[in-house]
Amino acid sequence: ELLEQQCADALREGGDGLVVVGGDGMAHLGVNLASAAGVPLGIVPAGSGNDFARHLELPRGDVRAAVDVVLGGTTRSVDLGRLEESGRRFACVLSTGFDAAVNARANRLAWPTGRSRYHVAMVAELRAFRPTSLVVEVDGVAIRPFRLAEDYVYAFELRDGSTRVLVAMDELNGW
């Protein structure tokens, strides 16, 4: 919260842009700060997942190359979503339900480090997770209520450090 406030203050005082170094959590913070200030956001991926950086095809695992992209000054627009209750914005994906619970649990783990943390959190969360619901609205029109994890069957396969998630939809619900 302190970092967010300090960055917001700096942007209000006339910052021309914002550069964040970190993973998806830091990118999320940057998306919210930069969009509120109306300035470009530069991302130097340095997290364990870097999903947003992957989506943007930014160099991952090579800080120098990522910094070169930021310093190159090329910008592009991306669509942002907004959570009505909090006003927070998101880009690329909104994790809710099971994957959000796994991520929250992984963030609380001190061990193991790196991507393995998500595998441990996933197994632990399988035992504790309870379904959640949400309504998706696009341009003022409710798409449909979603029941997360209630209408899906999850299967996980761990092989060579990668996770494959197989999702089977319930044919009876018409989705």
Side-chain angles (χ1 to χ4, degrees), residues 3 18-35 41-47 49-54 56 58 78 80 88-92:
L3 175 63
L18 176 66
V19 176
V20 296
V21 179
D24 290 316
M26 190 59 71
H28 173 74
L29 176 66
V31 161
N32 279 277
L33 289 165
S35 65
L41 171 64
I43 300 172
V44 178
N50 300 313
D51 295 327
F52 188 41
R54 181 180 299 108
L56 295 174
L58 296 175
V78 297
L80 298 180
R88 300 290 289 180
R89 298 196 178 275
F90 63 92
C92 184

Side-chain angles (χ1 to χ4, degrees), residues 12-108:
R12 271 193 297 279
E13 292 172 12
D16 294 328
L18 176 66
V19 176
V20 296
V21 179
D24 290 316
M26 190 59 71
H28 173 74
L29 176 66
V31 161
N32 279 277
L33 289 165
S35 65
V39 298
L41 171 64
I43 300 172
V44 178
S48 56
N50 300 313
D51 295 327
F52 188 41
R54 181 180 299 108
H55 173 76
L56 295 174
E57 298 179 349
L58 296 175
R60 297 179 324 273
D62 185 345
V63 171
R64 183 177 302 267
V67 169
D68 286 345
V69 170
V70 170
L71 293 176
T74 302
T75 61
R76 60 181 147 170
S77 296
V78 297
D79 291 328
L80 298 180
R82 187 178 62 80
L83 300 174
E84 187 171 307
E85 288 183 20
S86 68
R88 300 290 289 180
R89 298 196 178 275
F90 63 92
C92 184
V93 67
L94 170 66
S95 295
T96 185
F98 182 76
D99 56 340
V102 168
N103 190 59
R105 186 179 290 259
N107 287 339
R108 292 189 306 268

Side-chain angles (χ1 to χ4, degrees), residues 140-160:
V141 177
I143 303 299
R144 66 175 171 244
F146 288 88
R147 289 188 327 261
L148 303 174
E150 200 169 276
D151 292 322
Y152 295 90
V153 174
Y154 296 92
F156 300 93
E157 177 183 359
L158 305 177
R159 184 185 327 160
D160 300 327

